[in-house]
Amino acid sequence: MKNYILTTVWLILALLVIGESICAGEASVKEILRHADRARGNLEGVTWDVRVTSKGKDAVNTKEMTVKARDNDVLVRFTNPSKMKNQMILMKNRIMWFIRPGLSKPVSISPRQKLMGNAANGDIASTNYVYDYVAALQEEDKHNGEDCYILDLKALSKQVTYDRIKYWVSKSSLTGVKAEFYTVSGKLFKTAELKYDNSLRIDENTVIPFVSELIIRDAIQKDEVTTLFYSNIKSEKLPDSTFNIDILLQ
Amino acid sequence: MRLRKSLLYSAAALILVIQNQNIVLAEELNIGYEKMVSEEAVDHFSYLFRTVGFINMQYPGDSTQNPRNGFLKLYRYSYEINLRPDFFMTFPHLKGILKPRLNSYYRTWEDGVFKGESGDRTEGFINEWRLQGELTPSFFLSYGKEKLLWGSSLFVNPSNPFFKDNEKKSNSKIELKGKYFLRLVYIPNNAMTISLIDNARKGDDIDANGEFKRTYAVKMDVTGRDYLIGLIGSIKETESSRLGSYGQWTLSDPLILYYDATAARGTNALYPEPSVGNPLGYEFVEKYKGKNSIFATGLAGVSYTLLDGSTFNLEYLRNTPGYNSDEANRYLLLRQRASGHFFDNNTPSSISAKTLLEANDPGLLFLRKNYAMVQYMEKEIKDVLDIILRYTHNLDDDSGSLVLVLECGVSDSAMLFNINNINMGGQNADFRSIVDKSFMFGVEYTY
């Protein structure tokens, strides 16, 4: 009887320990993803400038814009070239509008519509993988000599563009350094590489790395490369009105 | 005179606002006022200068709405230069825009009774201006002449009591005129916006009879993670109150569903009715004005974006105030009779002119009850070319309108554009009553 009780207690304790370690594992993967999202703009008020360069077989094209982001709300204002000056993209969560001087009204657009080259409108925004995907630690690997976790992200719903993302996250900086994007049919659609030469002070004691370069390559037409260069990163308190289409000056 | 007055008022308002803002800031920061103006002027003011030059060719339809082009006097060729500067002012709690316009054109007439005529004109006006003050972080008050448009649909926005037919025009290069609005916007939180809107002044905002009817509206928008719903209650002078709603649901990154609708008791629209006293045998009457029947117009749409970024839209419009077959037949008969007497030198001629005026705008959003629209759009082809191909079909009389828009960037500042519109159907069908086809070629230069 005594043995039976002891065995049961040990079994319960073992289950508790295993359960705790499983929970800790999940939390740490989520925490890794949260850190990686933060370094790509998912913060409570940040502004930055972006230069998008699209390099194809024949030509190189460039666009410049300023971005204001707060959590899942983003306002993009084009500054260059002249013909795109003052055009805007406003995203409130998954609702997006395109605003263009001369057009009568804001046009509703989808995150999948093309921004330039291989970059979609959604690529300019801050990422929210921690909310949109369930992550599993697949393996560990090196990318450009850096030790990385490889996370397998599966879409929580059919709402997002990519059904699956294979995501390399640096062990030392907890930033996403490489991503492979797969369609619902399992086909590799495009790949992305990220650099973090920017930094951002988010409070008195915390400075975090911030994305400086996002290179997107088409999986089929490999000579088509779109690069987003991030600069002038600032932490800024952004009120609700920044992302309100009713009072946005057009 | 009116232009000069508007310019003076706008300039005075801007100067007052800028002075007030700068004085407040200067006092707060305890620095010299003059120094502040020079250092901060660049940050507070910006502009965008667009010049649009184009040739527009249109072929008027040979219909009973426009007999021998004598009623609408539609030109064949128009050569236009439009100067469209936009000025922006941004201070911490005050923002403003000013959009003066200078349009110059030379036109020639080659159809109907005005064949061989030509004319030119240059006109300057303020198309839009607005001052917007932030009373508190949640309350914003604005006044000015502006375009107040909303909704996800491409074809038409029935829920908007101010600009219901903004998208009926197929040509995005022709600017819509602003209207005067006083607005109080309340933003209680990031998910909700409540606006009180007063279409306060006459301006260019007149109906077919030259009358201005003031409109008041309350608009509430709620935005969720993947949805947006807007509710609009409005009342227009001498008309019954109206309820509108619009919304969209981002079902997935590529798939968006949306709607736009309005409903009211009765309608002020004109319907053709037999008339013993009218020499044309029929006349337009406000048959359902003040009646209890509900008249609703609703649009449902879907948008899907492929992996390459090209987007398809499909929209269906149900317009219950539109004419049924009998009413449409009476409408066409009345228009035909009016057209037949339009050039007479007697009483029926003046009645005909009035009848054609009413037939051209009977107060309906669309003439018939059922419409469908399909659009294909691809942007940034080779990073320079945008294409829009849109077809709208009147499901009741089988007429249609095909629009092809091409825009091509040729430098950092210049863009070439070409807008083609071909209307199909019978000679007097809905889409062919005014213009058979039109072609526009132009260049837009921005700096």
Side-chain angles (χ1 to χ4, degrees):
Chain A
M1 185 64 187
K2 197 180 168 188
N3 280 346
Y4 177 73
I5 291 167
L6 270 174
T7 310
T8 308
V9 168
W10 277 114
L11 202 62
I12 289 167
L13 281 172
L15 281 171
L16 282 171
V17 170
I18 291 166
E20 199 175 314
S21 68
I22 288 169
C23 288
E26 276 180 3
S28 67
V29 169
K30 236 178 178 176
E31 208 49 43
I32 291 168
L33 208 51
R34 200 185 308 279
H35 269 87
D37 276 353
R38 204 168 64 156
R40 291 183 63 187
N42 197 337
L43 288 155
E44 289 180 10
V46 58
T47 67
W48 66 83
D49 295 337
V50 185
R51 181 161 51 88
V52 186
T53 302
S54 165
K55 205 155 66 174
K57 273 181 193 166
D58 313 315
V60 178
N61 285 291
T62 302
K63 284 176 186 173
E64 288 171 19
M65 56 208 81
T66 60
V67 179
K68 291 183 177 186
R70 191 189 67 179
D71 299 326
N72 296 318
D73 297 342
V74 181
L75 176 67
V76 179
R77 188 186 290 266
F78 290 83
T79 52
N80 218 7
S82 299
K83 66 181 179 227
M84 296 191 76
K85 210 172 146 189
N86 270 11
Q87 291 186 11
M88 287 183 268
I89 293 173
L90 175 64
M91 307 175 209
K92 268 184 86 82
N93 281 303
R94 308 189 79 81
I95 309 285
M96 292 179 81
W97 294 272
F98 174 60
I99 302 151
R100 176 172 153 180
L103 267 191
S104 299
K105 70 166 189 171
V107 179
S108 179
I109 56 173
S110 81
R112 197 188 257 189
Q113 271 175 33
K114 197 192 278 186
L115 174 77
M116 188 185 178
N118 302 320
N121 290 326
D123 291 326
I124 203 82
S126 49
T127 54
N128 199 4
Y129 291 164
V130 74
Y131 190 99
D132 292 331
Y133 293 87
V134 61
L137 184 60
Q138 200 178 41
E139 56 187 302
E140 293 180 9
D141 192 14
K142 278 187 190 293
H143 175 69
N144 288 341
E146 201 172 350
D147 287 333
C148 292
Y149 299 112
I150 301 180
L151 305 183
D152 187 31
L153 309 186
K154 283 192 178 140
L156 275 168
S157 71
K158 290 194 182 299
Q159 289 186 329
V160 293
T161 302
Y162 311 110
D163 190 54
R164 198 182 137 231
I165 301 171
K166 199 172 169 186
Y167 201 29
W168 280 253
V169 179
S170 160
K171 274 184 168 182
S172 56
S173 61
L174 292 183
T175 54
V177 291
K178 185 185 169 186
E180 288 178 354
F181 301 95
Y182 294 86
T183 61
V184 180
S185 58
K187 200 171 119 187
L188 178 65
F189 176 56
K190 59 186 183 187
T191 61
E193 280 185 65
L194 299 107
K195 292 179 184 169
Y196 295 84
D197 294 332
N198 289 316
S199 60
L200 176 69
R201 177 173 292 281
I202 53 172
D203 57 48
E204 276 187 13
N205 305 316
T206 321
V207 176
I208 60 164
F210 199 90
V211 63
S212 58
E213 221 174 299
L214 168 63
I215 306 155
I216 303 169
R217 287 190 176 85
D218 192 293
I220 299 157
Q221 291 170 303
K222 290 190 171 132
D223 51 348
E224 284 190 10
V225 182
T226 304
T227 310
L228 283 75
F229 298 95
Y230 297 70
S231 62
N232 205 17
I233 324 293
K234 285 179 203 156
S235 183
E236 190 181 324
K237 196 178 176 192
L238 298 169
D240 291 340
S241 56
T242 304
F243 308 100
N244 191 298
I245 199 155
D246 284 318
I247 59 163
L248 204 61
L249 280 185
Q250 296 156 31
Chain B
M1 187 64 191
R2 203 176 58 185
L3 168 71
R4 199 180 299 165
K5 240 175 150 179
S6 298
L7 277 169
L8 273 172
Y9 284 145
S10 310
L14 282 175
I15 289 164
L16 272 172
V17 157
I18 295 156
Q19 280 189 344
N20 283 339
Q21 284 284 322
N22 279 325
I23 289 165
V24 170
L25 281 172
E27 281 170 355
E28 278 175 5
L29 300 171
N30 198 21
I31 55 173
Y33 170 65
E34 284 178 13
K35 189 182 168 196
M36 261 208 58
V37 172
S38 60
E39 282 181 358
E40 301 214 343
V42 177
D43 292 330
H44 294 317
F45 297 95
S46 61
Y47 68 91
L48 182 73
F49 215 101
R50 280 179 300 134
T51 302
V52 183
F54 59 85
I55 301 166
N56 192 27
M57 288 179 277
Q58 61 180 13
Y59 295 81
D62 184 19
S63 74
T64 53
Q65 178 60 65
N66 188 22
R68 288 157 52 207
N69 197 24
F71 177 68
L72 294 171
K73 198 184 176 180
L74 299 174
Y75 62 80
R76 172 70 73 85
Y77 299 103
S78 183
Y79 308 86
E80 302 200 21
I81 293 278
N82 296 173
L83 303 183
R84 300 176 181 174
D86 297 347
F87 299 101
F88 301 90
M89 181 190 74
T90 309
F91 286 90
H93 301 290
L94 191 79
K95 290 177 178 170
I97 51 167
L98 178 67
K99 299 187 178 182
R101 297 292 183 255
L102 189 69
N103 295 346
S104 189
Y105 64 75
Y106 171 75
R107 286 173 180 168
T108 62
W109 280 258
E110 302 217 347
D111 302 277
V113 292
F114 297 104
K115 186 173 182 178
E117 284 192 17
S118 63
D120 60 85
R121 193 176 170 190
T122 298
E123 57 182 0
F125 56 96
I126 306 287
N127 196 43
E128 289 178 75
W129 68 269
R130 172 154 62 121
L131 283 174
Q132 179 179 287
E134 184 183 330
L135 306 178
T136 73
S138 302
F139 280 97
F140 294 81
L141 184 69
S142 70
Y143 180 71
K145 194 179 178 192
E146 59 176 318
K147 291 178 279 194
L148 201 54
L149 302 152
W150 57 72
S152 307
S153 60
L154 302 168
F155 182 32
V156 71
N157 297 100
S159 69
N160 190 328
F162 309 108
F163 290 92
K164 271 187 285 195
D165 57 353
N166 71 84
E167 293 298 331
K168 276 171 84 172
K169 65 181 182 62
S170 57
N171 194 327
S172 59
K173 295 295 170 191
I174 308 293
E175 276 197 315
L176 199 66
K177 288 203 169 175
K179 297 179 181 183
Y180 284 95
F181 292 106
L182 174 66
R183 286 200 289 150
L184 180 67
V185 179
Y186 173 49
I187 308 169
N189 55 54
N190 197 30
M192 186 183 280
T193 309
I194 298 166
S195 308
L196 303 177
I197 310 166
D198 175 8
N199 183 194
R201 247 185 79 193
K202 184 177 174 182
D204 306 311
D205 188 12
I206 51 173
D207 63 17
N209 300 318
E211 289 175 14
F212 166 70
K213 289 173 184 167
R214 197 166 175 172
T215 307
Y216 307 89
V218 181
K219 178 169 170 272
M220 185 176 81
D221 297 298
V222 178
T223 314
R225 179 168 155 72
D226 51 18
Y227 68 87
L228 162 72
I229 292 173
L231 284 172
I232 306 103
S234 66
I235 185 154
K236 195 171 192 172
E237 282 176 349
T238 75
E239 289 184 18
S240 57
S241 55
R242 178 170 289 278
L243 190 65
S245 179
Y246 71 97
Q248 82 166 63
W249 181 25
T250 306
L251 207 63
S252 65
D253 267 10
L255 185 62
I256 299 172
L257 304 179
Y258 52 89
Y259 74 92
D260 202 310
T262 186
R265 285 192 188 280
T267 169
N268 284 29
L270 299 171
Y271 291 80
E273 289 291 299
S275 169
V276 182
N278 191 309
L280 302 176
Y282 291 90
E283 66 178 346
F284 284 109
V285 293
E286 291 178 329
K287 191 178 171 183
Y288 300 107
K289 187 178 180 179
K291 302 279 188 212
N292 268 334
S293 329
I294 300 284
F295 287 86
T297 299
L299 178 144
V302 58
S303 152
Y304 189 84
T305 303
L306 302 176
L307 271 172
D308 66 1
S310 53
T311 302
F312 290 89
N313 284 72
L314 181 65
E315 296 181 358
Y316 167 71
L317 177 81
R318 174 69 181 168
N319 179 39
T320 60
Y323 296 156
N324 59 30
S325 296
D326 288 344
E327 288 163 339
N329 288 337
R330 284 205 293 271
Y331 167 85
L332 289 173
L333 184 63
L334 175 56
R335 211 172 74 175
Q336 186 190 11
R337 288 178 181 176
S339 169
H341 291 284
F342 182 68
F343 295 104
D344 294 352
N345 287 319
N346 50 27
T347 313
S349 170
S350 60
I351 293 172
S352 295
K354 179 179 174 286
T355 303
L356 288 180
L357 191 71
E358 291 169 334
N360 193 38
D361 182 9
L364 292 164
L365 187 59
F366 280 92
L367 206 59
R368 302 299 299 272
K369 289 183 181 296
N370 299 286
Y371 292 82
M373 188 221 76
V374 60
Q375 176 177 291
Y376 166 78
M377 179 180 76
E378 187 161 1
K379 295 186 78 179
E380 298 287 328
I381 301 170
K382 298 282 176 194
D383 289 330
V384 291
L385 182 66
D386 293 352
I387 292 179
I388 296 174
L389 182 64
R390 181 188 295 183
Y391 178 70
T392 310
H393 193 76
N394 179 329
L395 299 166
D396 296 314
D397 77 357
D398 266 341
S399 65
S401 178
L402 183 68
V403 176
L404 173 66
V405 181
L406 301 167
E407 286 186 319
C408 183
V410 287
S411 77
D412 279 356
S413 305
M415 189 168 64
L416 297 176
F417 62 85
N418 165 227
I419 299 170
N420 310 284
N421 178 206
I422 296 171
N423 294 318
M424 290 162 267
Q427 208 171 47
N428 287 302
D430 188 3
F431 283 110
R432 272 193 69 198
S433 288
I434 310 291
V435 173
D436 266 355
K437 55 197 170 194
S438 68
F439 308 97
M440 180 187 266
F441 298 89
V443 60
E444 184 173 317
Y445 193 81
T446 310
Y447 45 99

PDB file of all heavy atoms in Angstrom, chain B residues 10-25:
ATOM      1  N   SER B  10      -9.856  82.673 -46.915  1.00  0.00           N
ATOM      2  CA  SER B  10      -8.938  81.568 -46.620  1.00  0.00           C
ATOM      3  C   SER B  10      -7.611  82.100 -46.118  1.00  0.00           C
ATOM      4  O   SER B  10      -7.063  81.604 -45.132  1.00  0.00           O
ATOM      5  CB  SER B  10      -8.695  80.718 -47.867  1.00  0.00           C
ATOM      6  OG  SER B  10      -9.908  80.376 -48.441  1.00  0.00           O
ATOM      7  N   ALA B  11      -7.084  83.123 -46.820  1.00  0.00           N
ATOM      8  CA  ALA B  11      -5.789  83.688 -46.447  1.00  0.00           C
ATOM      9  C   ALA B  11      -5.856  84.279 -45.044  1.00  0.00           C
ATOM     10  O   ALA B  11      -4.978  84.043 -44.212  1.00  0.00           O
ATOM     11  CB  ALA B  11      -5.382  84.754 -47.454  1.00  0.00           C
ATOM     12  N   ALA B  12      -6.954  85.025 -44.768  1.00  0.00           N
ATOM     13  CA  ALA B  12      -7.104  85.649 -43.451  1.00  0.00           C
ATOM     14  C   ALA B  12      -7.167  84.587 -42.358  1.00  0.00           C
ATOM     15  O   ALA B  12      -6.511  84.696 -41.322  1.00  0.00           O
ATOM     16  CB  ALA B  12      -8.368  86.502 -43.423  1.00  0.00           C
ATOM     17  N   ALA B  13      -7.965  83.533 -42.633  1.00  0.00           N
ATOM     18  CA  ALA B  13      -8.104  82.455 -41.640  1.00  0.00           C
ATOM     19  C   ALA B  13      -6.760  81.786 -41.376  1.00  0.00           C
ATOM     20  O   ALA B  13      -6.388  81.544 -40.228  1.00  0.00           O
ATOM     21  CB  ALA B  13      -9.113  81.422 -42.138  1.00  0.00           C
ATOM     22  N   LEU B  14      -6.020  81.526 -42.439  1.00  0.00           N
ATOM     23  CA  LEU B  14      -4.722  80.856 -42.294  1.00  0.00           C
ATOM     24  C   LEU B  14      -3.760  81.712 -41.488  1.00  0.00           C
ATOM     25  O   LEU B  14      -3.077  81.233 -40.591  1.00  0.00           O
ATOM     26  CB  LEU B  14      -4.125  80.552 -43.673  1.00  0.00           C
ATOM     27  CG  LEU B  14      -4.709  79.343 -44.380  1.00  0.00           C
ATOM     28  CD1 LEU B  14      -4.139  79.221 -45.785  1.00  0.00           C
ATOM     29  CD2 LEU B  14      -4.386  78.074 -43.614  1.00  0.00           C
ATOM     30  N   ILE B  15      -3.711  83.044 -41.824  1.00  0.00           N
ATOM     31  CA  ILE B  15      -2.787  83.947 -41.119  1.00  0.00           C
ATOM     32  C   ILE B  15      -3.117  83.981 -39.629  1.00  0.00           C
ATOM     33  O   ILE B  15      -2.244  83.861 -38.772  1.00  0.00           O
ATOM     34  CB  ILE B  15      -2.846  85.367 -41.729  1.00  0.00           C
ATOM     35  CG1 ILE B  15      -2.184  85.335 -43.122  1.00  0.00           C
ATOM     36  CG2 ILE B  15      -2.145  86.388 -40.836  1.00  0.00           C
ATOM     37  CD1 ILE B  15      -2.495  86.530 -43.980  1.00  0.00           C
ATOM     38  N   LEU B  16      -4.430  84.091 -39.332  1.00  0.00           N
ATOM     39  CA  LEU B  16      -4.853  84.137 -37.929  1.00  0.00           C
ATOM     40  C   LEU B  16      -4.415  82.884 -37.177  1.00  0.00           C
ATOM     41  O   LEU B  16      -3.855  82.945 -36.087  1.00  0.00           O
ATOM     42  CB  LEU B  16      -6.384  84.245 -37.858  1.00  0.00           C
ATOM     43  CG  LEU B  16      -6.931  85.665 -37.889  1.00  0.00           C
ATOM     44  CD1 LEU B  16      -8.438  85.622 -38.023  1.00  0.00           C
ATOM     45  CD2 LEU B  16      -6.532  86.414 -36.620  1.00  0.00           C
ATOM     46  N   VAL B  17      -4.683  81.762 -37.826  1.00  0.00           N
ATOM     47  CA  VAL B  17      -4.377  80.479 -37.209  1.00  0.00           C
ATOM     48  C   VAL B  17      -2.878  80.337 -36.964  1.00  0.00           C
ATOM     49  O   VAL B  17      -2.436  79.946 -35.883  1.00  0.00           O
ATOM     50  CB  VAL B  17      -4.890  79.365 -38.159  1.00  0.00           C
ATOM     51  CG1 VAL B  17      -4.152  78.071 -37.908  1.00  0.00           C
ATOM     52  CG2 VAL B  17      -6.373  79.160 -37.975  1.00  0.00           C
ATOM     53  N   ILE B  18      -2.080  80.679 -37.976  1.00  0.00           N
ATOM     54  CA  ILE B  18      -0.621  80.537 -37.868  1.00  0.00           C
ATOM     55  C   ILE B  18      -0.096  81.457 -36.771  1.00  0.00           C
ATOM     56  O   ILE B  18       0.712  81.064 -35.939  1.00  0.00           O
ATOM     57  CB  ILE B  18       0.058  80.893 -39.211  1.00  0.00           C
ATOM     58  CG1 ILE B  18      -0.359  79.888 -40.282  1.00  0.00           C
ATOM     59  CG2 ILE B  18       1.563  80.896 -39.082  1.00  0.00           C
ATOM     60  CD1 ILE B  18      -0.233  80.432 -41.669  1.00  0.00           C
ATOM     61  N   GLN B  19      -0.602  82.703 -36.762  1.00  0.00           N
ATOM     62  CA  GLN B  19      -0.130  83.651 -35.745  1.00  0.00           C
ATOM     63  C   GLN B  19      -0.440  83.142 -34.349  1.00  0.00           C
ATOM     64  O   GLN B  19       0.409  83.114 -33.479  1.00  0.00           O
ATOM     65  CB  GLN B  19      -0.790  85.014 -35.971  1.00  0.00           C
ATOM     66  CG  GLN B  19      -0.095  85.774 -37.086  1.00  0.00           C
ATOM     67  CD  GLN B  19      -0.582  87.200 -37.174  1.00  0.00           C
ATOM     68  OE1 GLN B  19      -1.614  87.525 -36.620  1.00  0.00           O
ATOM     69  NE2 GLN B  19       0.153  88.033 -37.864  1.00  0.00           N
ATOM     70  N   ASN B  20      -1.692  82.691 -34.161  1.00  0.00           N
ATOM     71  CA  ASN B  20      -2.083  82.197 -32.844  1.00  0.00           C
ATOM     72  C   ASN B  20      -1.191  81.053 -32.398  1.00  0.00           C
ATOM     73  O   ASN B  20      -0.716  81.007 -31.281  1.00  0.00           O
ATOM     74  CB  ASN B  20      -3.537  81.710 -32.871  1.00  0.00           C
ATOM     75  CG  ASN B  20      -4.483  82.884 -32.830  1.00  0.00           C
ATOM     76  OD1 ASN B  20      -4.095  83.959 -32.398  1.00  0.00           O
ATOM     77  ND2 ASN B  20      -5.693  82.694 -33.303  1.00  0.00           N
ATOM     78  N   GLN B  21      -0.997  80.101 -33.315  1.00  0.00           N
ATOM     79  CA  GLN B  21      -0.193  78.929 -32.986  1.00  0.00           C
ATOM     80  C   GLN B  21       1.226  79.324 -32.612  1.00  0.00           C
ATOM     81  O   GLN B  21       1.776  78.854 -31.634  1.00  0.00           O
ATOM     82  CB  GLN B  21      -0.157  77.975 -34.189  1.00  0.00           C
ATOM     83  CG  GLN B  21      -1.408  77.188 -34.381  1.00  0.00           C
ATOM     84  CD  GLN B  21      -1.512  76.060 -33.372  1.00  0.00           C
ATOM     85  OE1 GLN B  21      -0.524  75.434 -33.050  1.00  0.00           O
ATOM     86  NE2 GLN B  21      -2.696  75.820 -32.860  1.00  0.00           N
ATOM     87  N   ASN B  22       1.811  80.209 -33.425  1.00  0.00           N
ATOM     88  CA  ASN B  22       3.198  80.582 -33.181  1.00  0.00           C
ATOM     89  C   ASN B  22       3.366  81.358 -31.885  1.00  0.00           C
ATOM     90  O   ASN B  22       4.335  81.178 -31.161  1.00  0.00           O
ATOM     91  CB  ASN B  22       3.742  81.396 -34.351  1.00  0.00           C
ATOM     92  CG  ASN B  22       4.170  80.478 -35.480  1.00  0.00           C
ATOM     93  OD1 ASN B  22       4.665  79.399 -35.220  1.00  0.00           O
ATOM     94  ND2 ASN B  22       3.949  80.888 -36.703  1.00  0.00           N
ATOM     95  N   ILE B  23       2.373  82.236 -31.596  1.00  0.00           N
ATOM     96  CA  ILE B  23       2.463  83.011 -30.351  1.00  0.00           C
ATOM     97  C   ILE B  23       2.424  82.066 -29.152  1.00  0.00           C
ATOM     98  O   ILE B  23       3.240  82.137 -28.252  1.00  0.00           O
ATOM     99  CB  ILE B  23       1.321  84.059 -30.279  1.00  0.00           C
ATOM    100  CG1 ILE B  23       1.606  85.169 -31.297  1.00  0.00           C
ATOM    101  CG2 ILE B  23       1.197  84.632 -28.883  1.00  0.00           C
ATOM    102  CD1 ILE B  23       0.435  86.055 -31.598  1.00  0.00           C
ATOM    103  N   VAL B  24       1.476  81.117 -29.193  1.00  0.00           N
ATOM    104  CA  VAL B  24       1.353  80.166 -28.103  1.00  0.00           C
ATOM    105  C   VAL B  24       2.654  79.388 -27.928  1.00  0.00           C
ATOM    106  O   VAL B  24       3.193  79.278 -26.833  1.00  0.00           O
ATOM    107  CB  VAL B  24       0.170  79.187 -28.365  1.00  0.00           C
ATOM    108  CG1 VAL B  24       0.197  78.054 -27.358  1.00  0.00           C
ATOM    109  CG2 VAL B  24      -1.139  79.946 -28.278  1.00  0.00           C
ATOM    110  N   LEU B  25       3.179  78.880 -29.053  1.00  0.00           N
ATOM    111  CA  LEU B  25       4.407  78.088 -28.980  1.00  0.00           C
ATOM    112  C   LEU B  25       5.575  78.923 -28.474  1.00  0.00           C
ATOM    113  O   LEU B  25       6.364  78.479 -27.655  1.00  0.00           O
ATOM    114  CB  LEU B  25       4.743  77.525 -30.366  1.00  0.00           C
ATOM    115  CG  LEU B  25       3.937  76.296 -30.766  1.00  0.00           C
ATOM    116  CD1 LEU B  25       4.208  75.951 -32.225  1.00  0.00           C
ATOM    117  CD2 LEU B  25       4.290  75.114 -29.886  1.00  0.00           C
TER     118      LEU B  25
END
